[in-house]
mmCIF file of all heavy atoms in Angstrom:
data_model
loop_
_atom_site.group_PDB
_atom_site.id
_atom_site.type_symbol
_atom_site.label_atom_id
_atom_site.label_comp_id
_atom_site.label_asym_id
_atom_site.label_seq_id
_atom_site.Cartn_x
_atom_site.Cartn_y
_atom_site.Cartn_z
ATOM 1 N N LYS A 1 79.777 114.439 100.240
ATOM 2 C CA LYS A 1 79.086 113.938 99.034
ATOM 3 C C LYS A 1 77.631 114.084 99.096
ATOM 4 O O LYS A 1 77.003 114.231 100.200
ATOM 5 C CB LYS A 1 79.417 112.374 99.001
ATOM 6 C CG LYS A 1 80.867 112.115 98.865
ATOM 7 C CD LYS A 1 80.944 110.515 98.854
ATOM 8 C CE LYS A 1 82.485 110.251 98.899
ATOM 9 N NZ LYS A 1 82.738 108.864 98.868
ATOM 10 N N ASP A 2 76.953 114.186 98.014
ATOM 11 C CA ASP A 2 75.466 114.254 97.989
ATOM 12 C C ASP A 2 74.740 113.202 98.784
ATOM 13 O O ASP A 2 75.159 112.056 98.615
ATOM 14 C CB ASP A 2 74.917 114.311 96.506
ATOM 15 C CG ASP A 2 75.367 115.460 95.684
ATOM 16 O OD1 ASP A 2 75.601 116.505 96.321
ATOM 17 O OD2 ASP A 2 75.343 115.356 94.432
ATOM 18 N N GLY A 3 73.812 113.639 99.647
ATOM 19 C CA GLY A 3 73.042 112.657 100.403
ATOM 20 C C GLY A 3 73.668 112.256 101.696
ATOM 21 O O GLY A 3 73.031 111.501 102.350
ATOM 22 N N VAL A 4 74.923 112.772 101.981
ATOM 23 C CA VAL A 4 75.527 112.360 103.261
ATOM 24 C C VAL A 4 75.671 113.658 104.060
ATOM 25 O O VAL A 4 76.270 114.604 103.686
ATOM 26 C CB VAL A 4 76.895 111.843 102.880
ATOM 27 C CG1 VAL A 4 77.665 111.407 104.171
ATOM 28 C CG2 VAL A 4 76.831 110.535 102.024
ATOM 29 N N ASP A 5 75.078 113.594 105.246
ATOM 30 C CA ASP A 5 75.101 114.773 106.083
ATOM 31 C C ASP A 5 76.038 114.747 107.339
ATOM 32 O O ASP A 5 75.785 115.247 108.372
ATOM 33 C CB ASP A 5 73.700 115.020 106.620
ATOM 34 C CG ASP A 5 73.157 113.917 107.524
ATOM 35 O OD1 ASP A 5 73.803 112.929 107.589
ATOM 36 O OD2 ASP A 5 72.034 114.169 108.047
ATOM 37 N N HIS A 6 77.043 113.843 107.197
ATOM 38 C CA HIS A 6 77.991 113.709 108.302
ATOM 39 C C HIS A 6 79.329 113.239 107.795
ATOM 40 O O HIS A 6 79.430 112.855 106.544
ATOM 41 C CB HIS A 6 77.397 112.643 109.326
ATOM 42 C CG HIS A 6 77.266 111.369 108.709
ATOM 43 N ND1 HIS A 6 76.085 111.039 107.902
ATOM 44 C CD2 HIS A 6 77.906 110.138 108.701
ATOM 45 C CE1 HIS A 6 76.072 109.828 107.508
ATOM 46 N NE2 HIS A 6 77.232 109.317 107.873
ATOM 47 N N VAL A 7 80.400 113.132 108.555
ATOM 48 C CA VAL A 7 81.594 112.594 108.188
ATOM 49 C C VAL A 7 81.393 111.027 108.284
ATOM 50 O O VAL A 7 80.951 110.554 109.264
ATOM 51 C CB VAL A 7 82.675 112.973 109.180
ATOM 52 C CG1 VAL A 7 84.063 112.288 108.741
ATOM 53 C CG2 VAL A 7 82.804 114.512 109.135
ATOM 54 N N THR A 8 81.734 110.288 107.195
ATOM 55 C CA THR A 8 81.553 108.966 107.222
ATOM 56 C C THR A 8 82.501 108.124 108.041
ATOM 57 O O THR A 8 83.614 108.625 108.399
ATOM 58 C CB THR A 8 81.617 108.345 105.786
ATOM 59 O OG1 THR A 8 82.931 108.415 105.325
ATOM 60 C CG2 THR A 8 80.744 109.051 104.765
ATOM 61 N N PRO A 9 82.051 106.881 108.472
ATOM 62 C CA PRO A 9 83.066 106.012 109.278
ATOM 63 C C PRO A 9 84.273 105.878 108.536
ATOM 64 O O PRO A 9 85.407 105.791 109.186
ATOM 65 C CB PRO A 9 82.253 104.708 109.456
ATOM 66 C CG PRO A 9 80.818 105.158 109.398
ATOM 67 C CD PRO A 9 80.692 106.211 108.374
ATOM 68 N N GLU A 10 84.332 105.732 107.257
ATOM 69 C CA GLU A 10 85.506 105.507 106.383
ATOM 70 C C GLU A 10 86.452 106.773 106.492
ATOM 71 O O GLU A 10 87.674 106.676 106.672
ATOM 72 C CB GLU A 10 85.222 105.176 105.006
ATOM 73 C CG GLU A 10 84.563 103.844 104.778
ATOM 74 C CD GLU A 10 82.926 103.836 105.067
ATOM 75 O OE1 GLU A 10 82.373 105.047 105.098
ATOM 76 O OE2 GLU A 10 82.346 102.850 105.274
ATOM 77 N N GLN A 11 85.792 107.931 106.440
ATOM 78 C CA GLN A 11 86.523 109.118 106.481
ATOM 79 C C GLN A 11 87.168 109.303 107.879
ATOM 80 O O GLN A 11 88.333 109.714 108.056
ATOM 81 C CB GLN A 11 85.620 110.451 106.165
ATOM 82 C CG GLN A 11 85.313 110.518 104.737
ATOM 83 C CD GLN A 11 84.158 111.510 104.486
ATOM 84 O OE1 GLN A 11 83.299 111.663 105.345
ATOM 85 N NE2 GLN A 11 84.357 112.202 103.436
ATOM 86 N N LYS A 12 86.378 109.016 108.921
ATOM 87 C CA LYS A 12 86.938 109.159 110.254
ATOM 88 C C LYS A 12 88.128 108.051 110.510
ATOM 89 O O LYS A 12 89.078 108.488 111.114
ATOM 90 C CB LYS A 12 85.788 108.801 111.265
ATOM 91 C CG LYS A 12 84.922 109.796 111.399
ATOM 92 C CD LYS A 12 83.730 109.531 112.455
ATOM 93 C CE LYS A 12 82.650 110.641 112.402
ATOM 94 N NZ LYS A 12 81.602 110.315 113.297
ATOM 95 N N ALA A 13 88.030 106.849 109.980
ATOM 96 C CA ALA A 13 89.091 105.928 110.021
ATOM 97 C C ALA A 13 90.364 106.447 109.316
ATOM 98 O O ALA A 13 91.434 106.300 109.882
ATOM 99 C CB ALA A 13 88.744 104.557 109.417
ATOM 100 N N ALA A 14 90.211 107.132 108.173
ATOM 101 C CA ALA A 14 91.358 107.771 107.553
ATOM 102 C C ALA A 14 91.967 108.922 108.285
ATOM 103 O O ALA A 14 93.094 108.957 108.355
ATOM 104 C CB ALA A 14 90.904 108.190 106.055
ATOM 105 N N ILE A 15 91.109 109.542 109.019
ATOM 106 C CA ILE A 15 91.623 110.681 109.903
ATOM 107 C C ILE A 15 92.429 110.023 111.084
ATOM 108 O O ILE A 15 93.491 110.435 111.410
ATOM 109 C CB ILE A 15 90.437 111.571 110.485
ATOM 110 C CG1 ILE A 15 89.924 112.447 109.328
ATOM 111 C CG2 ILE A 15 90.953 112.407 111.524
ATOM 112 C CD1 ILE A 15 88.587 113.055 109.625
ATOM 113 N N HIS A 16 91.864 108.975 111.766
ATOM 114 C CA HIS A 16 92.594 108.389 112.821
ATOM 115 C C HIS A 16 94.008 107.890 112.344
ATOM 116 O O HIS A 16 95.009 108.044 112.939
ATOM 117 C CB HIS A 16 91.704 107.169 113.349
ATOM 118 C CG HIS A 16 90.574 107.655 114.087
ATOM 119 N ND1 HIS A 16 90.613 108.317 115.261
ATOM 120 C CD2 HIS A 16 89.245 107.316 113.838
ATOM 121 C CE1 HIS A 16 89.426 108.568 115.735
ATOM 122 N NE2 HIS A 16 88.598 107.917 114.958
ATOM 123 N N ARG A 17 93.967 107.135 111.165
ATOM 124 C CA ARG A 17 95.243 106.626 110.661
ATOM 125 C C ARG A 17 96.203 107.774 110.316
ATOM 126 O O ARG A 17 97.360 107.696 110.595
ATOM 127 C CB ARG A 17 94.941 105.832 109.392
ATOM 128 C CG ARG A 17 94.569 104.355 109.699
ATOM 129 C CD ARG A 17 94.516 103.594 108.359
ATOM 130 N NE ARG A 17 93.812 104.133 107.217
ATOM 131 C CZ ARG A 17 92.549 104.017 107.021
ATOM 132 N NH1 ARG A 17 91.775 103.361 107.910
ATOM 133 N NH2 ARG A 17 91.974 104.581 106.160
ATOM 134 N N GLY A 18 95.710 108.776 109.681
ATOM 135 C CA GLY A 18 96.437 109.957 109.214
ATOM 136 C C GLY A 18 97.227 110.594 110.424
ATOM 137 O O GLY A 18 98.343 111.014 110.336
ATOM 138 N N ILE A 19 96.302 110.941 111.388
ATOM 139 C CA ILE A 19 96.902 111.639 112.542
ATOM 140 C C ILE A 19 98.043 110.886 113.272
ATOM 141 O O ILE A 19 99.063 111.357 113.678
ATOM 142 C CB ILE A 19 95.735 112.033 113.470
ATOM 143 C CG1 ILE A 19 94.914 113.110 112.834
ATOM 144 C CG2 ILE A 19 96.390 112.569 114.838
ATOM 145 C CD1 ILE A 19 95.572 114.436 112.592
ATOM 146 N N ALA A 20 97.705 109.553 113.462
ATOM 147 C CA ALA A 20 98.677 108.702 114.099
ATOM 148 C C ALA A 20 99.919 108.546 113.292
ATOM 149 O O ALA A 20 101.093 108.609 113.821
ATOM 150 C CB ALA A 20 98.112 107.237 114.338
ATOM 151 N N ASP A 21 99.819 108.433 112.024
ATOM 152 C CA ASP A 21 101.004 108.297 111.087
ATOM 153 C C ASP A 21 101.749 109.566 111.129
ATOM 154 O O ASP A 21 103.138 109.606 111.191
ATOM 155 C CB ASP A 21 100.646 108.035 109.627
ATOM 156 C CG ASP A 21 100.056 106.646 109.425
ATOM 157 O OD1 ASP A 21 100.277 105.816 110.237
ATOM 158 O OD2 ASP A 21 99.491 106.419 108.372
ATOM 159 N N LEU A 22 101.056 110.779 111.079
ATOM 160 C CA LEU A 22 101.770 112.061 111.143
ATOM 161 C C LEU A 22 102.636 112.228 112.448
ATOM 162 O O LEU A 22 103.745 112.712 112.443
ATOM 163 C CB LEU A 22 100.731 113.193 110.946
ATOM 164 C CG LEU A 22 101.308 114.610 111.080
ATOM 165 C CD1 LEU A 22 102.201 114.978 109.949
ATOM 166 C CD2 LEU A 22 100.109 115.720 111.179
ATOM 167 N N LEU A 23 101.952 111.963 113.560
ATOM 168 C CA LEU A 23 102.670 112.086 114.868
ATOM 169 C C LEU A 23 103.810 111.148 114.982
ATOM 170 O O LEU A 23 104.838 111.465 115.632
ATOM 171 C CB LEU A 23 101.686 111.794 116.043
ATOM 172 C CG LEU A 23 100.679 113.025 116.157
ATOM 173 C CD1 LEU A 23 99.695 112.666 117.253
ATOM 174 C CD2 LEU A 23 101.382 114.282 116.584
ATOM 175 N N PHE A 24 103.796 110.002 114.326
ATOM 176 C CA PHE A 24 104.949 109.141 114.252
ATOM 177 C C PHE A 24 106.103 109.677 113.420
ATOM 178 O O PHE A 24 107.173 109.719 113.821
ATOM 179 C CB PHE A 24 104.535 107.781 113.735
ATOM 180 C CG PHE A 24 105.585 106.833 113.797
ATOM 181 C CD1 PHE A 24 106.189 106.260 114.934
ATOM 182 C CD2 PHE A 24 106.186 106.451 112.505
ATOM 183 C CE1 PHE A 24 107.281 105.360 114.904
ATOM 184 C CE2 PHE A 24 107.257 105.462 112.497
ATOM 185 C CZ PHE A 24 107.805 105.081 113.661
ATOM 186 N N GLU A 25 105.642 110.210 112.293
ATOM 187 C CA GLU A 25 106.646 110.742 111.339
ATOM 188 C C GLU A 25 107.310 111.945 111.915
ATOM 189 O O GLU A 25 108.482 112.133 111.727
ATOM 190 C CB GLU A 25 106.057 111.090 109.983
ATOM 191 C CG GLU A 25 105.497 109.915 109.152
ATOM 192 C CD GLU A 25 104.788 110.237 107.952
ATOM 193 O OE1 GLU A 25 104.822 111.508 107.504
ATOM 194 O OE2 GLU A 25 104.048 109.464 107.401
ATOM 195 N N VAL A 26 106.629 112.806 112.464
ATOM 196 C CA VAL A 26 107.127 114.103 113.008
ATOM 197 C C VAL A 26 107.705 114.036 114.340
ATOM 198 O O VAL A 26 108.779 114.657 114.571
ATOM 199 C CB VAL A 26 105.930 115.138 113.085
ATOM 200 C CG1 VAL A 26 106.436 116.588 113.658
ATOM 201 C CG2 VAL A 26 105.476 115.425 111.534
ATOM 202 N N LEU A 27 107.043 113.349 115.288
ATOM 203 C CA LEU A 27 107.550 113.255 116.782
ATOM 204 C C LEU A 27 108.066 111.930 117.054
ATOM 205 O O LEU A 27 108.599 111.758 118.296
ATOM 206 C CB LEU A 27 106.433 113.657 117.589
ATOM 207 C CG LEU A 27 105.769 115.078 117.486
ATOM 208 C CD1 LEU A 27 104.625 115.416 118.322
ATOM 209 C CD2 LEU A 27 106.888 116.219 117.540
ATOM 210 N N GLY A 28 107.923 110.853 116.323
ATOM 211 C CA GLY A 28 108.332 109.506 116.655
ATOM 212 C C GLY A 28 107.437 108.978 117.660
ATOM 213 O O GLY A 28 107.815 108.001 118.308
#
């Protein structure tokens, strides 16, 4: 987004959740 020069804490939290959910769905 304009004016943001990094991955935001909210985006990082979504990545953490998404990866954990994916590994649960695919590998249990």
Side-chain angles (χ1 to χ4, degrees):
K1 298 178 182 177
D2 290 337
V4 179
D5 64 352
H6 60 280
V7 179
T8 68
E10 296 80 16
Q11 290 170 320
K12 289 178 182 180
I15 290 169
H16 289 298
R17 279 190 308 275
I19 294 296
D21 290 347
L22 178 66
L23 288 173
F24 180 71
E25 290 172 20
V26 175
L27 301 176

